[in-house]
């Protein structure tokens, strides 16, 4: 493969989801800004977000940012950095009004204010009762955010490089000089050099067999950085959303329960009353997902007798056709399309589905990526689902991710604009793409090699069965061994299609390599943490252990090994307490 084309910008943003676009709107005010995206931006996973974005506006009932911050900390099982959670909750109010001013068509109250609804773990008065905090545009909130932000980016002349897949990051002596990307339409390699680079590449739920995540959610950003020596934070915490469509994983938003839907077992019992007597079906996701699995394990799943394909019902029949049509139209459509049922008349068969990465690239509250000693990488930023700031701790509350994108995407955008004003010039040379070109040439070499499809299937199954909702040392050890073997086999895979234009065989292989690295890091981090906290639930260590484990983990990938260290949690506002709901 020949040498790469070089482009120069002040700011390069990797990812055109909610995070990347908001950061671009801020950065482009004073800095020459480019957004690179392997998808067309409005196909980003943010567009699939359904239920809402939280902010203590108090439009429907009394609410305060402080209560929101507290819920976030408690929901995250006290692994949240509390200063960051305060910023999230306080800046939420302004962030939502800014989205409104940019043109986002929120649902309205009869008085014309932004309407709000209930969501899991959001309460008034430090846990007293569920509160209506989620602002929403029907069940298409993410779609509306993406459309609104993309239009603003076009208006402000942000440069877009759509269908450019980033395959390497240029990092030298703790400084970031930009990224290397593959132009999908031509197969050419390009260098984008920049004074500041933001990773906003989203989640990596595609590690798991059953997932709510889009095909593109392969964790490219965290994986590329991990291979260049950046540690990843709290990777053992991966959220399973309680209500995916049984057997498919397609998400049925928590908004269904926010509007009054209830979970029922085979006896038509509202079983959440035994697990979370105050918040019931609106307890945080980790608790509801575990409750569903426990019901099934104890033979109270629908069909019963502890069969592995048992499930529970999400009953939304009491909501009535009007609420479903006006507030949950997409969900209603999904049920009709995928299950052939009308949720106004029949309960929906559901099971937990892999959903959200709480862990990721460690950053400070300005979006700057930090190393294991607390030092800052010059010119390297991350925000959104690929980052860990950490506002979600061990378990994210619903509607707090869209908020995270807006609040921390904006902060990163602002900080980059300031940083590039005084930053040194560009320093990247043409050979910066050498490693990426070598990697592609390796995948293009002659011969057949092992089947990448099989490797992918085995990875997804291993993660699902051994690194899922309930974990233990034996299963996790098996997972680490299996993933190590799969990474070994991956070294010999080759692209069967050797053409240059739109070579999805090649891009699939690159993405599989990223998923394998993140799977291994997740499994090793999970084996390391010997307690149960939030979404990380160990049968062999069933209790939370603040004395030994109230700390973030940092995982560093060193070829075939993952080395774990730790850093303290900011508990400056609230003392950790046992979690009851
Ligand atoms: C079905 C579903 C429903 C959800 N509902 C809600 C909700 O109601 N409320 C809520 O708060 N959260 C919700 N979430 C979570 C939330 O939507 C996501 O966490 C969030 O949208 C992630 O945004 P992001 O900007 O970080 O990444 P994304 O929106 O995933 O965007 C990632 C971007 O990075 C680009 N990219 C990735 N890799 C590369 C690469 N190698 N090269 C170039 N570009 C790359 C992609 O093209 C894309 O543009 C939901 C998630 C799912 C899956």
């Amino acid at each position: 493969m020949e040498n790469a084309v070089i482009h120069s910008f002040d700011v390069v943003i990797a990812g055109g989801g909610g995070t990347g676009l908001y950061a671009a709107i801020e950065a482009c005010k004073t800095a020459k800004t480019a957004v690179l995206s392997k998808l067309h931006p409005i196909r980003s996973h943010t567009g699939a977000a359904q239920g809402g974005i939280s902010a203590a506006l108090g439009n429907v009932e009394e609410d305060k940012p402080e209560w929101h911050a507290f819920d976030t900390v408690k929901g995250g099982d006290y692994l949240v950095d509390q200063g960051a959670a305060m910023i999230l909750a306080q800046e939420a109010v302004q962030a939502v009004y800014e989205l409104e001013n940019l043109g986002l068509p929120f649902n309205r109250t009869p008085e014309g204010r932004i309407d709000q609804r209930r969501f899991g773990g959001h309460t008034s008065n430090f846990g007293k009762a569920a509160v209506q905090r989620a602002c929403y545009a029907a069940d298409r909130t993410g779609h509306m955010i993406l459309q609104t932000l993309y239009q603003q980016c076009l208006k402000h002349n942000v440069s877009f490089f759509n269908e450019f897949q980033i395959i390497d990051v240029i990092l030298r002596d703790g400084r970031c000089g930009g990224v290397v990307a593959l132009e999908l339409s031509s197969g050419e390699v390009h260098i984008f050099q920049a004074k500041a680079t933001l990773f906003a590449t989203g989640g990596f739920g595609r590690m798991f067999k059953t997932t709510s995540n889009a095909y593109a959610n392969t964790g490219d950003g965290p994986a590329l950085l991990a291979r260049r020596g950046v540690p990843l934070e709290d990777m053992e915490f991966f959220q399973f959303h309680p209500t995916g469509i049984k057997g498919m994983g397609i998400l049925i938003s928590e908004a269904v329960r926010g509007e009054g839907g209830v979970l029922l077992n085979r006896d038509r019992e509202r079983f959440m009353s035994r697990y979370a007597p105050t918040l019931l079906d609106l307890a945080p996701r980790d608790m509801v997902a575990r409750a569903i699995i426990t019901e099934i394990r104890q033979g109270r799943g629908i069909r019963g007798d502890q069969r592995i394909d048992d499930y529970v019902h999400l009953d939304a029949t009491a909501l009535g056709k009007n609420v479903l049509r006006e507030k949950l139209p997409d969900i209603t459509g999904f049920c009709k399309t995928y299950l052939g049922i009308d949720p106004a008349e029949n309960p929906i068969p559901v099971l937990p589905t892999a959903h959200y990465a709480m862990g990721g690239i460690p950053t400070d509250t300005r979006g700057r990526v930090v190393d294991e000693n607390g030092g800052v990488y010059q010119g390297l930023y991350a925000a959104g689902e690929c980052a860990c700031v950490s506002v979600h701790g061990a378990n994210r509350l619903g509607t707090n991710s869209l908020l995270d994108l807006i609040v921390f995407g904006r902060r990163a955008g602002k900080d980059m604009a300031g940083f590039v004003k005084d930053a040194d010039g560009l320093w990247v040379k043409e050979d910066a793409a050498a490693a990426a070109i070598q990697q592609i040439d390796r995948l293009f070499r002659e011969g057949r090699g092992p089947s990448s499809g099989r490797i992918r299937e085995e990875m997804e199954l291993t993660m699902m069965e051994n690194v899922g909702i309930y974990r233990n040392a034996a299963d996790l050890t098996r997972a680490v061994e299996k993933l190590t073997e799969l990474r070994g086999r991956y070294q010999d895979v080759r692209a069967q299609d050797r053409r240059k234009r739109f070579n999805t065989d090649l891009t699939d292989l690159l993405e599989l390599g990223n998923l394998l690295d993140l799977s291994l890091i997740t499994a090793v981090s999970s084996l390391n943490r010997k307690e149960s906290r939030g979404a990380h639930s160990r049968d062999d260590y069933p209790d939370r252990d603040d004395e030994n484990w109230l700390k973030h983990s940092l995982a560093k990938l060193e070829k075939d090994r993952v080395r774990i260290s730790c850093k303290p949690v900011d508990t400056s506002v609230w003392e950790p307490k046992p979690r009851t709901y």
Side-chain angles (χ1 to χ4, degrees):
M1 196 173 254
E2 308 98 54
N3 277 341
V5 189
I6 302 192
H7 310 259
S8 302
F9 286 91
D10 293 327
V11 170
V12 160
I13 294 173
T19 314
L21 296 183
Y22 214 115
I25 291 173
E26 285 300 331
C28 80
K29 289 178 184 162
T30 53
K32 191 178 162 210
T33 302
V35 173
L36 274 64
S37 177
K38 67 179 177 182
L39 306 169
H40 187 280
I42 53 180
R43 297 182 72 92
S44 305
H45 192 68
T46 298
Q50 303 169 353
I53 173 167
S54 51
L57 305 183
N59 280 357
V60 185
E61 54 188 328
E62 190 192 6
D63 201 2
K64 295 180 182 166
E66 200 190 353
W67 297 347
H68 184 184
F70 173 77
D71 291 339
T72 302
V73 168
K74 182 178 168 190
D77 222 350
Y78 292 91
L79 198 75
V80 171
D81 283 329
Q82 300 185 3
M86 288 299 250
I87 291 174
L88 181 82
Q90 273 158 0
E91 295 187 7
V93 176
Q94 192 197 350
V96 166
Y97 286 131
E98 267 177 35
L99 285 174
E100 181 188 36
N101 293 341
L102 293 176
L104 201 145
F106 284 111
N107 278 41
R108 301 278 162 183
T109 65
E111 303 79 46
R113 298 206 179 114
I114 295 174
D115 197 10
Q116 299 189 272
R117 64 180 163 206
R118 296 202 172 102
F119 243 82
H122 290 277
T123 70
S124 59
N125 224 341
F126 307 104
K128 288 284 176 320
V131 74
Q132 303 187 53
R133 184 177 287 149
C135 312
Y136 64 99
D139 51 0
R140 302 178 183 128
T141 314
H143 174 83
M144 294 305 182
I145 289 180
L146 266 189
Q147 298 286 338
T148 305
L149 297 181
Y150 185 60
Q151 286 161 15
Q152 290 292 327
C153 284
L154 292 181
K155 179 175 161 192
H156 291 101
N157 295 321
V158 170
S159 302
F160 278 97
F161 292 85
N162 299 338
E163 301 189 326
F164 275 71
Q165 184 151 334
I166 294 164
I167 51 177
D168 203 0
V169 52
I170 304 163
L171 256 189
R172 212 173 59 199
D173 305 327
R175 284 171 75 200
C176 182
V179 294
V180 180
L182 181 70
E183 182 181 19
L184 300 184
S185 64
S186 66
E188 303 294 339
V189 171
H190 296 240
I191 293 173
F192 288 83
Q193 60 169 341
K195 294 176 186 168
T197 305
L198 170 71
F199 276 82
T201 53
F204 35 92
R206 282 279 147 188
M207 296 191 295
F208 294 91
K209 185 169 185 316
T210 305
T211 174
S212 69
N213 279 203
Y215 284 97
N217 286 15
T218 52
D220 304 351
L224 298 179
L225 289 172
R227 289 202 288 273
R228 293 280 172 198
V230 176
L232 299 183
E233 184 171 341
D234 292 340
M235 290 291 283
E236 59 274 39
F237 298 102
F238 201 96
Q239 175 168 85
F240 277 71
H241 192 295
T243 58
I245 293 181
K246 173 187 84 88
M248 288 179 234
I250 295 169
L251 193 74
I252 300 294
S253 170
E254 201 169 281
V256 173
R257 281 171 286 140
E259 296 289 354
V262 295
L263 289 163
L264 302 174
N265 64 17
R266 68 180 295 183
D267 306 320
R268 292 196 56 75
E269 181 203 8
R270 196 173 172 189
F271 57 86
M272 280 313 297
S273 62
R274 279 185 276 114
Y275 301 87
T278 307
L279 289 191
L280 300 162
D281 304 88
L282 288 175
R285 290 176 180 171
D286 57 329
M287 295 177 75
V288 182
R290 276 196 296 276
I292 292 174
I293 299 301
T294 306
E295 289 298 297
I296 291 172
R297 280 187 179 179
Q298 295 180 354
R300 292 187 297 278
I302 289 164
R303 303 190 348 164
D305 305 321
Q306 302 176 28
R307 279 184 287 203
I308 47 161
D309 51 354
D310 286 356
Y311 55 93
V312 297
H313 271 149
L314 173 58
D315 189 346
T317 51
L319 273 59
K321 279 195 189 294
N322 283 350
V323 169
L324 286 167
R325 188 177 341 106
E326 277 158 33
K327 296 185 169 179
L328 299 161
D330 276 7
I331 294 298
T332 306
F334 291 164
C335 291
K336 289 183 177 161
T337 306
Y338 298 109
L339 295 164
I341 63 165
D342 180 349
E345 284 160 14
N346 300 99
I348 312 163
V350 292
L351 271 181
T353 182
H355 185 57
Y356 183 85
M358 270 75 72
I361 307 159
T363 71
D364 63 13
T365 54
R366 293 156 64 180
R368 302 180 305 176
V369 178
V370 291
D371 64 21
E372 62 267 55
N373 306 313
V376 169
Y377 288 93
Q378 289 296 304
L380 181 61
Y381 290 76
E385 189 170 340
C386 71
C388 179
V389 45
S390 134
V391 286
H392 309 304
N395 171 63
R396 171 175 75 81
L397 293 188
T399 68
N400 265 357
S401 172
L402 290 178
L403 181 60
D404 175 5
L405 317 183
I406 303 305
V407 167
F408 290 99
R410 186 173 61 167
R411 284 182 150 249
K414 278 197 165 103
D415 206 82
M416 289 191 293
F419 172 80
V420 299
K421 274 193 202 135
D422 310 317
D424 300 341
L426 303 161
W427 49 269
V428 171
K429 302 211 181 66
E430 234 175 61
D431 66 357
I437 290 175
Q438 210 181 359
Q439 187 189 11
I440 293 174
D441 286 345
R442 209 176 54 79
L443 290 168
F444 275 158
R445 70 198 187 280
E446 293 297 320
R448 273 202 77 78
S451 151
S452 59
R454 288 280 297 282
I455 296 177
R456 185 184 276 260
E457 268 172 32
E458 288 176 41
M459 170 194 72
E460 290 172 352
L461 207 63
T462 301
M463 290 303 286
M464 201 70 198
E465 289 180 349
N466 300 319
V467 199
I469 294 180
Y470 280 108
R471 304 161 170 188
N472 61 58
D475 286 351
L476 291 168
T477 307
R478 204 169 305 126
V480 171
E481 282 164 10
K482 183 73 194 174
L483 293 163
T484 307
E485 180 218 312
L486 294 177
R487 282 174 90 239
R489 267 159 62 191
Y490 176 80
Q491 293 308 314
D492 292 325
V493 297
R494 292 148 164 85
Q496 300 307 310
D497 180 356
R498 296 194 172 81
R499 282 170 293 189
K500 290 190 87 181
R501 294 167 52 79
F502 287 113
N503 187 336
T504 52
D505 191 19
L506 173 66
T507 50
D508 280 356
L509 286 181
L510 293 167
E511 291 175 345
L512 174 61
N514 296 334
L515 286 171
L516 284 168
D517 288 353
L518 297 186
S519 296
L520 181 71
I521 294 173
T522 303
V524 174
S525 303
S526 305
L527 184 58
N528 181 64
R529 185 175 286 272
K530 296 180 181 57
E531 65 158 352
S532 290
R533 181 187 297 274
H536 175 69
S537 210
R538 297 261 316 232
D539 288 328
D540 43 354
Y541 298 96
D543 299 322
R544 195 176 87 192
D545 174 3
D546 286 344
E547 203 173 311
N548 296 303
W549 289 103
L550 184 57
K551 56 190 181 189
H552 297 292
S553 49
L554 290 172
K556 205 156 174 165
L557 185 65
E558 291 169 349
K559 292 216 167 76
D560 291 337
R561 292 200 44 236
V562 179
R563 196 164 49 79
I564 310 265
S565 58
C566 62
K567 70 174 185 184
V569 179
D570 165 11
T571 54
S572 53
V573 190
W574 291 286
E575 188 75 6
K577 294 228 176 73
R579 232 173 26 140
T580 51
Y581 282 95

